[in-house]
């Protein structure tokens, strides 16, 4: 008996430890089944927000996806005799010698999904495409994405629109990875026409951005502008898609020499972009810096010192310094030093345009420093390397005087430039113009902030119960938790 008592006492602490231990983490398959139940609930109640929530949960889960989890979920969500199950199961690689996760999901969720909702089927296509892209199986991903697009053409359900817009993005992305974007341009145009006829506004803005990206990838700026100008206009539904649209619009306006509109679009895209989209913000800032230089502005030093962007913007910082000084030789050396970077960013042609701005900046510095200077000395200071530098200097000075860049006159008899005295800038309209632009910017930002506010429907008529309030707060917490992962995936 004493021995039995000692054994019970010695086993008591482990029992207590087991009871105090945290519950084991739920399996990936269990999370996928919960997502399927959310999609089913959204489909039956026709709530698009539930479908969006399911997509956010999937993006947060994609790093944990394994082949066995995807295969098990397909067997759970799709009927074994369906064509989709046979096609998708063949694309998922088999893992030998590994057991599937044991799932303890509620039986109600397992039974309710087996009647084959279109939303569940499209979600399975989306899940397989994401898994194949993450595992760098691009040919299989292309096959799966093409099959999903063919299936989407036969559906017209608003609850499918959110899933369809993601599939459109991955469909274009996988073809971009395999350098076959030109092959799907006709398909994207047909899908955009179909989305317009179905009044699928989220699909329209997604497909419009994909088409603009497709055209710009091959430098077809005229076709991109024609499509953009004739596409239907409506209020943006996705902040990420709106940021992309502003970026593409800024690039088109830059090529068309409309630098003021391009600057506004690029800066707005960089400002609206999510914090996690660092690569997108870097691209916006690169183009915005070039556009500001072409406008004759010098970006502030803080633009180049933003967190996480300093290394990527270093070539543009040195380029800006060369333009600011007006040193043509320094400008050439910087352009040659970072030629590979500028070519990769597709800004090399724009940098060629900056040569004239460098010369004009140097000429402005000369006109401020000298009240009278010969054209030969101007050619030497600007380091013009043409056959007749004096004649080139004279034409450059004449054009700068005509454009209002400098306030001077040319003495043709003596071959020199005579600068006029600098007047008081506050006696002109420039301060008023600067204040008006700042006020307009602040008012525009305030109006956009007011438009972005959201309020629950009938909040002034119905009082919210405690249970509904708890449910709403829980959904808001989940939304905030998964927002970063969603933004990271989108960009």
């Amino acid at each position: 008996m004493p021995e039995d008592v000692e054994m019970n006492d010695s086993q008591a602490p482990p029992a207590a430890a087991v009871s105090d231990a945290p519950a084991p983490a739920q399996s990936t398959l269990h999370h996928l089944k919960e997502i399927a139940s959310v999609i089913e609930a959204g489909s039956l109640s026709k709530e698009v927000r539930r479908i969006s929530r399911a997509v956010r949960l999937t993006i947060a889960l994609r790093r944990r996806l394994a082949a066995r989890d995807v295969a098990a979920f397909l067997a759970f969500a799709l009927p074994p005799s369906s064509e989709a199950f046979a096609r998708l199961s063949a694309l998922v690689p088999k893992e030998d010698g590994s057991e599937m996760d044991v799932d303890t999901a509620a039986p109600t969720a397992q039974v309710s999904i087996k009647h084959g909702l279109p939303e569940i089927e499209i979600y399975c296509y989306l899940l397989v495409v994401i898994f194949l892209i993450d595992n760098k199986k691009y040919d299989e991903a292309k096959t799966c994405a093409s099959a999903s697009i063919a299936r989407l053409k036969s559906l017209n359900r608003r609850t499918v629109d959110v899933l369809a817009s993601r599939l459109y993005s991955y469909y274009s992305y996988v073809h971009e990875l395999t350098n076959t974007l030109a092959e799907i341009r006709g398909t994207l145009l047909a899908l955009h026409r179909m989305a317009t006829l179905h009044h699928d506004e989220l699909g329209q803005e997604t497909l419009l951005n994909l088409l603009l990206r497709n055209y710009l990838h091959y430098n077809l700026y005229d076709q991109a502008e024609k499509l953009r100008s004739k596409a239907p206009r409506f209020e943006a539904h996705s902040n990420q898609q709106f940021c992309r649209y502003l970026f593409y619009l800024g690039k088109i306006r830059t090529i068309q020499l409309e630098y003021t509109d391009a600057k506004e679009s690029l800066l707005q895209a960089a400002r609206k972009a999510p914090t996690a989209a660092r690569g997108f913000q870097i691209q916006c800032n690169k183009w915005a810096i070039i556009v500001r230089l072409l406008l004759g502005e010098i970006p502030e030093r803080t633009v180049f010192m933003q967190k996480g962007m300093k290394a990527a913007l270093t070539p543009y910082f040195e380029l800006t310094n060369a333009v600011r000084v007006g040193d043509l030789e320094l400008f050439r050396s910087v352009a040659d030093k970072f030629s590979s970077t500028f070519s990769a960013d597709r800004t090399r042609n724009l940098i060629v345009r900056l040569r004239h701005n460098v010369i004009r900046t140097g000429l402005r510095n000369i006109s401020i420093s000298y009240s009278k200077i010969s054209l030969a000395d101007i050619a030497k200071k600007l380091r013009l390397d043409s056959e007749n530098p004096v004649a080139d200097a004279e034409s450059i000075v004449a054009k700068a005087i005509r454009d209002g860049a400098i306030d001077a006159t040319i003495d043709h008899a003596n071959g020199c430039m005579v600068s006029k005295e600098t007047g008081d800038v506050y006696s002109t309209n420039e301060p008023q113009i600067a204040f008006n632009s700042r006020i307009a910017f602040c008012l525009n930002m305030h109006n956009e902030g007011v438009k972005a506010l959201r309020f629950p429907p009938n909040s002034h008529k119905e009082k919210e119960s405690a249970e509904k309030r708890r449910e709403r707060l829980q959904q808001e917490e989940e939304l905030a938790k998964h927002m970063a992962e969603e933004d990271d995936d989108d960009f």
Side-chain angles (χ1 to χ4, degrees):
M1 289 298 293
E3 293 180 359
D4 294 339
V5 174
E6 288 177 3
M7 290 176 62
N8 292 336
D9 291 342
S10 63
Q11 292 176 355
V18 170
S19 62
D20 294 339
Q26 293 179 338
S27 66
T28 304
L29 179 58
H30 177 74
H31 286 296
L32 290 174
K33 291 184 178 182
E34 287 184 343
I35 293 172
S37 65
V38 171
I39 294 175
E40 184 192 28
S43 173
L44 297 178
S45 61
K46 294 183 172 57
E47 293 184 24
V48 180
R49 287 184 177 273
R50 290 180 179 267
I51 310 295
S52 302
R53 178 167 171 258
V55 173
R56 289 195 300 271
L57 294 172
T58 305
I59 299 306
L61 199 65
R62 64 183 298 177
R63 295 178 179 86
R64 296 165 48 190
L65 286 178
R68 63 178 182 275
D69 300 322
V70 177
F73 178 74
L74 293 177
F76 163 77
L78 297 174
S81 59
S82 64
E83 181 182 355
F85 177 77
R87 181 184 294 115
L88 295 177
S89 298
L91 294 173
V92 177
K94 304 295 187 295
E95 291 187 357
D96 298 331
S98 60
E99 297 180 357
M100 293 185 182
D101 291 344
V102 178
D103 180 57
T104 57
T108 55
Q110 296 180 9
V111 175
S112 60
I113 292 173
K114 285 295 184 180
H115 51 70
L117 287 172
E119 290 80 4
I120 297 293
E121 180 183 348
I122 298 301
Y123 175 75
C124 291
Y125 277 108
L126 176 62
L127 186 68
V128 174
V129 169
I130 292 175
F131 171 76
L132 293 174
I133 292 177
D134 288 345
N135 286 272
K136 297 182 172 24
K137 298 181 181 296
Y138 300 134
D139 293 335
E140 293 86 346
K142 283 173 62 175
T143 303
C144 182
S146 301
S148 66
I149 296 300
R151 180 69 177 95
L152 283 171
K153 289 180 179 179
S154 61
L155 297 176
N156 183 15
R157 296 164 67 100
R158 299 287 71 80
T159 48
V160 178
D161 292 346
V162 177
L163 300 171
S165 65
R166 287 302 180 107
L167 275 172
Y168 298 152
S169 300
Y170 287 118
Y171 175 65
S172 177
Y173 178 60
V174 72
H175 281 81
E176 183 176 354
L177 290 174
T178 55
N179 198 23
T180 55
L181 270 179
E183 298 177 2
I184 63 170
R185 193 176 301 149
T187 304
L188 292 178
L189 287 168
L191 290 172
H192 185 268
R193 182 169 59 250
M194 183 185 72
T196 304
L197 294 175
H198 291 172
H199 302 285
D200 176 12
E201 294 186 351
L202 180 59
Q204 288 180 60
E205 62 180 0
T206 302
L207 289 164
L208 176 60
N209 285 334
L210 294 177
L211 284 166
L212 292 178
R213 184 180 183 88
N214 196 307
Y215 283 125
L216 298 184
H217 182 79
Y218 295 100
N219 297 322
L220 302 174
Y221 288 91
D222 291 338
Q223 289 89 327
E225 173 57 21
K226 288 179 182 178
L227 172 67
R228 188 208 63 80
S229 61
K230 296 184 180 299
R233 307 288 179 85
F234 47 83
E235 186 178 354
H237 289 261
S238 170
N239 180 61
Q240 290 83 9
Q241 296 299 335
F242 185 51
C243 289
R244 290 190 180 97
Y245 175 78
L246 290 173
F247 177 60
Y248 299 144
L249 177 61
K251 294 177 71 172
I252 294 171
R253 290 287 181 258
T254 302
I255 299 300
Q256 294 177 336
L257 307 180
E258 299 177 10
Y259 298 134
T260 303
D261 295 339
K263 172 191 167 185
E264 182 180 352
S265 298
L266 292 168
L267 292 179
Q268 191 177 5
R271 190 175 67 249
K272 285 179 171 291
T275 308
R278 187 61 52 80
F280 180 79
Q281 289 180 335
I282 289 173
Q283 288 298 320
C284 290
N285 278 284
K286 287 178 178 179
W287 278 76
I289 289 167
I290 297 294
V291 170
R292 294 183 66 179
L293 291 175
L294 289 168
L295 283 170
E297 303 176 6
I298 302 298
E300 300 81 4
R301 191 182 184 89
T302 54
V303 173
F304 304 95
M305 300 301 168
Q306 298 180 64
K307 184 179 179 181
M309 303 186 191
K310 184 176 179 180
L313 296 180
T314 297
Y316 294 87
F317 176 72
E318 296 191 18
L319 185 71
T320 301
N321 186 51
V323 175
R324 180 182 61 83
V325 175
D327 190 339
L328 196 58
E329 190 65 29
L330 178 61
F331 173 77
R332 290 197 194 100
S333 65
V334 172
D336 293 338
K337 179 181 177 181
F338 298 105
S339 60
S340 59
T341 302
F342 296 143
S343 299
D345 295 336
R346 298 194 173 192
T347 56
R348 187 170 180 80
N349 291 336
L350 300 176
I351 291 170
V352 173
R353 300 182 190 177
L354 280 175
R355 182 180 181 275
H356 179 69
N357 293 62
V358 176
I359 295 174
R360 177 175 291 188
T361 303
L363 184 60
R364 188 184 299 116
N365 294 337
I366 293 172
S367 68
I368 294 173
S369 303
Y370 297 91
S371 60
K372 185 176 181 180
I373 184 173
S374 65
L375 295 175
D377 291 339
I378 292 176
K380 290 180 182 178
K381 289 184 177 295
L382 293 178
R383 300 183 184 181
L384 301 178
D385 54 356
S386 58
E387 296 180 358
N388 192 353
V390 177
D392 289 345
E394 184 176 0
S395 63
I396 290 170
V397 172
K399 188 175 187 305
I401 293 173
R402 187 195 66 181
D403 295 341
I406 59 175
D407 191 6
T409 57
I410 299 177
D411 186 351
H412 295 281
N414 298 322
C416 62
M417 179 186 74
V418 180
S419 301
K420 297 180 181 179
E421 294 184 3
T422 305
D424 184 12
V425 70
Y426 289 100
S427 63
T428 65
N429 291 331
E430 289 188 16
Q432 180 183 0
I433 295 172
F435 276 120
N436 283 340
S437 64
R438 295 178 184 180
I439 292 170
F441 174 79
C442 293
L443 290 175
N444 186 36
M445 181 177 291
H446 173 267
N447 293 336
E448 290 181 358
V450 172
K451 291 179 182 178
L453 293 175
R454 289 185 178 182
F455 302 95
N458 299 325
S459 59
H460 61 288
K461 297 180 181 179
E462 302 177 0
K463 291 186 177 180
E464 190 176 29
S465 62
E467 183 179 354
K468 288 184 178 180
R469 184 173 180 275
R470 283 195 300 270
E471 183 179 355
R472 178 175 60 82
L473 291 176
Q474 183 180 1
Q475 291 179 358
E476 290 177 356
E477 289 177 0
E478 292 179 356
L479 176 62
K481 179 180 177 182
H482 298 295
M483 189 64 70
E485 287 83 353
E486 177 195 10
D487 294 338
D488 189 18
D489 175 74
D490 281 344
F491 287 89

